Amino acid sequence: MNTFGMNMSQREFIIIIAALMSMVALTTDAMLPALGYMAQEFGVDGNAIQLVVTSVFVGHALGQLVYGPVSDTYGRRRSIFVGLGIFCVGSLISVWAQSLEVMLVGRFLQGFGASGPRVMVVALVRDCFSGAAMARIMSFAMTLFMAVPIMAPLIGQGILLVGPWPWIFGFFVMFAAVMFTWVYMRLDETLKPENRLSLHPKKLWYTMRQVLVNPIAMGYSFVAGLVFGGFMGYLSSSLQIFQQVYSVGEAFPIYFAVLALPTIAASLINAKLVMRFGMYSLVQVTNVITGVACLAFYIYANTTVGGPSLGEFMTLCSIIFFGIGFRFGNLNALAMEPLGKLAGMGASVVGSCTTLMGVPIGMWVGMSYDGTVLPLVLGFCVTSWVAFIFMLYLNRRHKAPF
């Protein structure tokens, strides 16, 4: 078997894992322009409609606990196919939703289904690479993945120009069908038969416990959860901030897309620097830069009459998302590095812990929206400094592998 699948080059391998990785982001970002219409139709306020975003991540977190162990027994491809099927069911439920409660059920299933392809990305990469090489591949995939925040809101806005918001879910079904066909035709199984594990409950618990008691894996999962929590707070409240605070109207997708560019640039730079400076150092530097910038901006915003301008807010967000481009891929690689043959279960536990850690933080930040940017800035500031301090502690107790 070719390392990268059926006659698959490394370039195609990176593209396909980036596409699989993008499903959760596509499911959230493409819906952002429609949140206002959905709030009106369901008769709820702007903060309540944020649950349409967070419910996806709840399903995503719980789904990861299922797909990893299953993939360690039945393989990566089957797990991807099952996830895509559940994703389509959730999308169809959302199409016909007449209330927020039914919509949340559909969104939960979307997140649960999309977690299959997302978990398999980490497992696929870990099956084929290790160490800094794994971080390098993830950085290239993250670069392509970050095209989703640029395109998804524009796609959602474009669909709204020609049809109602349920059409966006029809687009999700079409995307899932394309991914099913691509994986079926081009991606071979990367899990070797000799590395397959039993699904017996005792064996599963033993394997999960090996991951849960690994201080490096859990420590960096915690840090990744902090970073993800701040980011999710931004996803939840971004529409309100741009439309209510800065009155950008239908230009929201453009501003949202612009802020993806620093992350793309950082991912490209990280792919080159990680081999020289290591994952730990790069993450810590960006923790400090983000923490200092947010603290300074928070103080400035509290002393400025009328609050910071749109340009000033965009500048701060550019710094934040530049840092995210370094942190996401490196933290995942740091967490997965010591797990070796436990890649499937490891990806499940690491991904689930990261998401479950991030969801309440993101909800706290998003629901704290008060008509200003201060809750969001404070959320990024706190999570960055806590991440920095915890990583110092973790590195003293357990030296970072890279």
Side-chain angles (χ1 to χ4, degrees), residues 7-302:
N7 302 313
M8 184 179 288
S9 66
Q10 182 172 324
R11 178 176 298 178
E12 185 180 356
F13 180 77
I14 291 172
I15 294 172
I16 198 170
I17 65 171
L20 291 170
M21 188 190 305
S22 74
M23 291 197 65
V24 176
L26 179 68
T27 306
T28 54
D29 296 349
M31 288 304 306
L32 294 178
L35 291 181
Y37 298 102
M38 297 170 70
Q40 292 178 4
E41 184 163 333
F42 296 144
V44 297
D45 62 29
N47 282 1
I49 203 65
Q50 291 182 14
L51 294 173
V52 172
V53 175
T54 55
S55 58
V56 172
F57 289 103
V58 174
H60 178 53
L62 297 179
Q64 291 177 87
L65 291 175
V66 175
Y67 290 107
V70 170
S71 76
D72 278 342
T73 299
Y74 296 106
R76 315 309 186 197
R77 278 167 41 100
R78 290 183 182 179
S79 299
I80 293 173
F81 296 148
V82 171
L84 291 173
I86 296 175
F87 176 83
C88 288
V89 171
S91 298
L92 293 174
I93 290 175
S94 300
V95 166
W96 303 108
Q98 298 296 314
S99 66
L100 179 60
E101 291 76 16
V102 175
M103 170 59 67
L104 296 182
V105 171
R107 294 291 280 173
F108 174 87
L109 288 175
Q110 279 190 299
F112 192 94
S115 64
R118 181 63 183 87
V119 169
M120 290 310 100
V121 165
V122 181
L124 287 167
V125 175
R126 187 62 187 87
D127 285 341
C128 302
F129 302 93
S130 64
M134 179 172 64
R136 185 170 180 268
I137 292 295
M138 288 300 294
S139 290
F140 284 133
M142 279 292 295
T143 302
L144 296 178
F145 163 78
M146 285 311 300
V148 175
I150 294 177
M151 297 303 300
L154 294 173
I155 292 172
Q157 188 73 62
I159 292 174
L160 291 174
L161 292 177
V162 298
W165 59 261
W167 286 23
I168 298 176
F169 291 97
F171 169 76
F172 293 154
V173 174
M174 293 174 56
F175 182 83
V178 170
M179 292 310 304
F180 185 99
T181 304
W182 192 3
V183 171
Y184 182 81
M185 297 295 294
R186 297 290 296 163
L187 184 64
D188 211 350
E189 182 58 60
T190 60
L191 181 64
K192 297 179 180 179
E194 61 268 25
N195 290 335
R196 301 199 177 202
L197 304 176
S198 170
L199 268 181
H200 190 281
K202 289 185 178 180
K203 181 65 176 179
L204 283 177
W205 171 242
Y206 173 77
T207 306
M208 180 179 289
R209 188 175 179 277
Q210 284 185 284
V211 179
L212 290 173
V213 300
N214 189 295
I216 295 177
M218 288 298 95
Y220 287 109
S221 297
F222 174 80
V223 177
L226 290 170
V227 176
F228 179 67
F231 179 71
M232 204 176 101
Y234 166 77
L235 284 180
S236 300
S237 58
S238 59
L239 183 70
Q240 292 166 288
I241 289 175
F242 281 108
Q243 292 195 339
Q244 296 177 13
V245 178
Y246 295 114
S247 303
V248 302
E250 293 187 354
F252 162 70
I254 297 175
Y255 287 94
F256 191 90
V258 167
L259 290 178
L261 298 178
T263 307
I264 294 175
S267 296
L268 285 171
I269 295 172
N270 182 71
K272 297 181 179 298
L273 296 184
V274 71
M275 305 297 286
R276 179 177 179 184
F277 297 104
M279 296 177 278
Y280 175 86
S281 298
L282 292 176
V283 172
Q284 282 294 64
V285 168
T286 51
N287 280 335
V288 172
I289 292 174
T290 302
V292 170
C294 288
L295 180 60
F297 191 90
Y298 187 81
I299 295 172
Y300 168 74
N302 272 297

Side-chain angles (χ1 to χ4, degrees), residues 214-226 280 283-284 287 331 357 382-398:
N214 189 295
I216 295 177
M218 288 298 95
Y220 287 109
S221 297
F222 174 80
V223 177
L226 290 170
Y280 175 86
V283 172
Q284 282 294 64
N287 280 335
L331 286 171
M357 175 79 184
V382 171
T383 53
S384 295
W385 283 117
V386 173
F388 174 76
I389 293 170
F390 186 81
M391 283 184 65
L392 284 179
Y393 166 79
L394 185 63
N395 194 47
R396 287 183 179 180
R397 293 289 302 272
H398 308 280

